[in-house]
Amino acid sequence: MRIVVAAKPDADQPWVADAAIGLAKQTGAEVMVVAVDAVELERLAAVPRNVFTQAAELAAATMSRRLAEAGVPVTHAVLSGRPVDGILDAADRHNADLIVVGATTRPAVAERLLGSVPLDLVKRSSRPVVVVTHPS
């Protein structure tokens, strides 16, 4: 079994990693952690592109380290572009059986304006998507 876990570049989500660890241990799955830098927003930001890429790399490495420390076979990748497209592409390339993603943390108004990665994944994915909510 193969699981793709989406790491959110601007947030540490250890509960998502813990859920992936549980699923991987139950199924013997390999895990690929994917972080997408969302550089299409770069035109609207006053920071250089590498800031987005560095945030994505940090998120992917942090989540991968947590999985590896739990004994889960894991790799990670950082992709450029739109998050939903990148996650779906990675799931296709990795031949994933499942996608794991954290629930949105945006306020309702921002979610309506900017969209929701987890919801868009559920709508567009041809494979199962597990959305993990924050434990509190």
Side-chain angles (χ1 to χ4, degrees):
M1 179 159 189
R2 293 184 174 105
I3 299 172
V4 166
V5 180
K8 187 174 181 181
D10 57 355
D12 184 23
Q13 297 179 313
W15 62 93
V16 176
D18 291 345
I21 289 166
L23 289 167
K25 287 191 172 190
Q26 289 173 20
T27 61
E30 303 171 1
V31 175
M32 172 182 253
V33 175
V34 176
V36 183
D37 63 12
V39 294
E40 81 275 0
L41 300 176
E42 178 187 7
R43 293 177 297 237
L44 305 175
V47 296
R49 176 186 181 129
N50 69 339
V51 171
F52 290 93
T53 305
Q54 288 171 355
E57 179 60 43
L58 179 61
T62 300
M63 190 172 287
S64 292
R65 190 171 30 260
R66 189 173 183 97
L67 280 115
E69 288 170 356
V72 174
V74 61
T75 59
H76 74 269
V78 174
L79 306 173
S80 288
R82 297 178 181 270
V84 174
D85 295 336
I87 295 164
L88 292 174
D89 288 346
D92 287 342
R93 282 196 315 274
H94 192 60
N95 198 23
D97 298 294
L98 178 70
I99 298 171
V100 176
V101 63
T104 189
T105 56
R106 288 181 175 158
V109 172
E111 187 176 331
R112 288 186 85 104
L113 292 172
L114 301 173
S116 165
V117 170
L119 182 58
D120 289 347
L121 283 170
V122 169
K123 288 178 181 177
R124 292 183 45 198
S125 180
S126 60
R127 35 185 64 79
V129 177
V130 173
V131 180
V132 182
T133 60
H134 190 281
S136 65

